[in-house]
Amino acid sequence: MTMTPEDATRFAADLDRLVGAVEEVLLGKNRVIRLAFTALLSEGHLLLEDVPGTGKTSLARSMAQSVAGSSNRVQFTPDLLPGDITGVSVYDQRTGAFEFHPGPIFANIVLADEINRASPKTQSALLEVMEEGQVTVDGQTHPAGRPFMVIATQNPVEQAGTYRLPEAQLDRFLMRTSIGYPDHASTIRILEGTDQRAHDHRVEPRLGAADIVRMAALARTVYVDPTIHDYVSRLVESTRTAKEVRLGVSVRGALALVRAAKTHAAGRGRHYVVPDDVKALAEPVLAHRLILDPEAEFDGVTASNMIAQVLIETPPPSARQAG
């Protein structure tokens, strides 16, 4: 089944409603909010690299409220244990059996705050649930529910006492972006509303959790021309051969880019992907998957620079080819 033009129009209207609802809380951050919902509707996870106080918690909470879902926040610290995230089995003396007590990971949207402050063992507790949407404790599998999304944060400035996320975990995040500080006009609007605390502002639901599952399934049916697949393949191959890159984009990264491009196209009211969808998402989807050569990093090269360079050097298919 392929998405119809009418389906795409409805999809775009529903997405606009969700973005508009969250933008009432996170003022002036339309692009970041759209990226976050694109990740959610692509059944992926989001990594936010940002300094404190930019609205990361507000983003996760308001997104969950807009879809009538649940949200939990986990503050990652060095003494956090895997069971503190996934849950534990507790012996019940009355029944003589172990009973599973679910952890905070069992919510529609989970904010993993300062994820790089926990030990690698604790970070690894997220690998299964982020990839498969389930948690295995004492041999028993527990589904996390749908929709399910992890929004993880890390502070790119304060690195003392942190553990760098391993490549396998970074690869589990569909996108990486940052919220950043608001512009002047948005800052003034925020200051004018200081009589209301941020966590007191509640977003009215625009859709239900079941609607998000339906939209995610619909996004998978967006048409992708073979020339688009060829374009994505050439992009990721270019990251692997660049002399500044030690480890390029994996196949998982290429699949993620196509998946996100489908959602991006539907969000623009189209039932088919065009090269501009791929270009718009290449940096947030691919940059965090690159490992640069140390000498290139010393010279000031960044992963975002590399993706921009690859986009320039890799010609997209023409409109006639993509059509």
Side-chain angles (χ1 to χ4, degrees):
M1 185 182 99
T2 304
M3 179 184 280
T4 65
E6 293 77 18
D7 289 335
T9 301
R10 284 194 298 270
F11 187 104
D14 287 340
L15 179 57
D16 286 343
R17 289 166 60 199
L18 294 172
V19 172
V22 176
E23 204 170 8
E24 294 174 6
V25 177
L26 214 63
L27 301 176
K29 296 298 177 182
N30 182 277
R31 181 178 182 275
V32 174
I33 297 169
R34 279 193 172 274
L35 282 177
F37 275 113
T38 298
L40 174 64
L41 294 170
S42 302
E43 299 177 296
H45 310 284
L46 180 66
L47 178 63
L48 294 176
E49 282 195 350
D50 232 327
V51 295
T54 51
K56 300 180 290 290
T57 303
S58 296
L59 173 63
R61 184 177 60 246
S62 55
M63 282 181 66
Q65 291 173 349
S66 70
V67 300
S70 58
S71 65
N72 281 327
R73 175 180 178 272
V74 184
Q75 181 64 51
F76 278 61
T77 56
D79 59 347
L80 193 72
L81 299 175
D84 296 331
I85 301 171
T86 59
V88 294
S89 295
V90 178
Y91 184 74
D92 190 333
Q93 292 183 335
R94 292 174 301 176
T95 61
F98 283 92
E99 180 182 347
F100 178 66
H101 288 224
I105 199 67
F106 289 89
N108 295 123
I109 296 180
V110 179
L111 178 65
D113 213 359
E114 294 189 291
I115 187 174
N116 56 336
R117 292 206 175 275
S119 67
K121 180 179 180 180
T122 301
Q123 291 177 15
S124 67
L126 291 171
L127 290 176
E128 180 187 10
V129 70
M130 288 176 66
E131 184 71 15
E132 302 176 31
Q134 64 183 27
V135 170
T136 303
V137 177
D138 296 332
Q140 296 295 316
T141 299
H142 308 274
R146 297 179 67 194
F148 173 70
M149 178 186 188
V150 173
I151 300 178
T153 73
Q154 57 181 4
N155 185 341
V157 178
E158 169 76 77
Q159 296 297 321
T162 63
Y163 300 87
R164 183 172 179 173
L165 292 181
E167 285 70 33
Q169 183 139 9
L170 282 172
D171 216 20
R172 297 298 198 280
F173 287 99
L174 183 75
M175 297 183 192
R176 182 188 66 180
T177 188
S178 62
I179 297 177
Y181 292 120
D183 58 26
H184 180 70
S186 298
T187 301
I188 291 175
R189 291 176 60 192
I190 293 169
L191 295 176
E192 289 173 345
T194 51
D195 57 327
Q196 185 178 30
R197 300 180 67 180
H199 63 263
D200 292 334
H201 193 123
R202 182 165 183 83
V203 174
E204 291 300 318
R206 299 302 197 271
L207 295 173
D211 295 317
I212 297 302
V213 174
R214 173 187 56 79
M215 289 177 69
L218 192 60
R220 291 196 297 268
T221 67
V222 171
Y223 174 72
V224 183
D225 192 82
T227 58
I228 299 294
H229 287 144
D230 176 74
Y231 180 45
V232 171
S233 178
R234 287 186 287 116
L235 284 174
V236 298
E237 286 170 4
S238 295
T239 68
R240 299 168 189 163
T241 56
K243 66 180 187 332
E244 299 91 345
V245 177
R246 186 156 59 92
L247 182 65
V249 176
S250 67
V251 175
R252 182 187 280 124
L255 290 169
L257 183 55
V258 171
R259 201 163 78 239
K262 287 183 176 185
T263 305
H264 187 272
R268 294 296 187 273
R270 280 184 279 100
H271 62 289
Y272 54 90
V273 174
V274 298
D276 282 348
D277 296 315
V278 176
K279 292 179 182 179
L281 296 176
E283 194 276 332
V285 174
L286 301 182
H288 65 285
R289 304 172 194 271
L290 298 182
I291 298 179
L292 299 179
D293 183 87
E295 289 188 12
E297 284 189 289
F298 184 77
D299 291 338
V301 176
T302 66
S304 296
N305 295 152
M306 286 305 308
I307 296 300
Q309 180 180 325
V310 165
L311 285 172
I312 292 172
E313 295 176 351
T314 307
S318 65
R320 180 176 297 178
Q321 289 175 316

